[in-house]
Amino acid sequence: QVQLVESGGGLVQAGGSLRLSCTASPRTFSPYAMGWFRQAPGKEREFQGSITWSGGATYYADSVKGRFTISRDNAKNTVYLQMNSLKPEDTAVYYCAGSKFNHGWGSWRILGTYDYWGQGTQVTVSS
C-alpha cells in the first residue's frame, strides 16, 4: 500500500524559510509525478507545484514562482518543497500527492490527477 508522509512544517516568521519533505513508501513506488498543494482554513486546496519523478521537470503555480522550489531525491524516495520569503498568507496545511500516470502537462494543477495523498503538515507564518 502506497503511503506518503510529509514532514518539516512548523512556525516561522515572515521572510523566513522552510523545507518540507514528502517520503513515499514502499521503496518500489515510482510515480510519474509528484505534486505539492496547500489548504488554508476555509479555502480550497490549491496547487503549488509539481515534479516528474524520472526527469525532474518542474511546474509551478504563478503565485509561488521564484519563492518555492521543488526537488526530488529518487534514492530516498523523497520530494522536497523549499519555501523562501514566506508570507503570512502562506499559512496552510501542505500536502504532497503522487500520480501514477502522465496525464499531460496542464493536468498537474488538478487535484483529481493524483492517486495518492499524504496527511499534510502545518505551516504557520507569523507577521
Side-chain angles (χ1 to χ4, degrees), residues 100-113:
K100 292 187 290 187
F101 305 114
N102 180 10
H103 295 278
W105 197 241
S107 69
W108 301 125
R109 60 176 57 248
I110 301 171
L111 274 69
T113 296

Side-chain angles (χ1 to χ4, degrees), residues 36-47:
W36 282 98
F37 290 76
R38 72 185 183 191
Q39 188 166 20
K43 295 188 176 182
E44 294 184 350
R45 194 169 296 189
E46 62 176 354
F47 172 77

Side-chain angles (χ1 to χ4, degrees), residues 4-125:
L4 304 179
V5 178
E6 301 97 334
S7 60
L11 175 64
V12 63
Q13 287 189 330
S17 298
L18 278 176
R19 189 178 79 158
L20 306 183
S21 301
C22 171
T23 300
S25 61
R27 282 290 284 117
T28 54
F29 177 62
S30 182
Y32 184 83
M34 298 289 290
W36 282 98
F37 290 76
R38 72 185 183 191
Q39 188 166 20
K43 295 188 176 182
E44 294 184 350
R45 194 169 296 189
E46 62 176 354
F47 172 77
Q48 301 300 290
S50 63
I51 187 166
T52 58
W53 194 251
S54 178
T58 53
Y59 175 51
Y60 296 97
D62 289 342
S63 60
V64 302
K65 283 181 182 177
R67 295 195 303 128
F68 290 7
T69 303
I70 297 176
S71 60
R72 88 266 188 253
D73 184 335
N74 291 20
K76 295 182 178 180
N77 249 36
T78 299
V79 174
Y80 303 99
L81 179 65
Q82 177 68 45
M83 305 186 294
N84 299 327
S85 302
L86 284 164
K87 308 172 184 179
E89 50 264 43
D90 293 318
T91 295
V93 177
Y94 284 71
Y95 298 89
C96 70
S99 177
K100 292 187 290 187
F101 305 114
N102 180 10
H103 295 278
W105 197 241
S107 69
W108 301 125
R109 60 176 57 248
I110 301 171
L111 274 69
T113 296
Y114 298 88
D115 304 289
Y116 308 102
W117 289 86
Q119 82 290 348
T121 186
Q122 176 70 46
V123 171
T124 302
V125 184

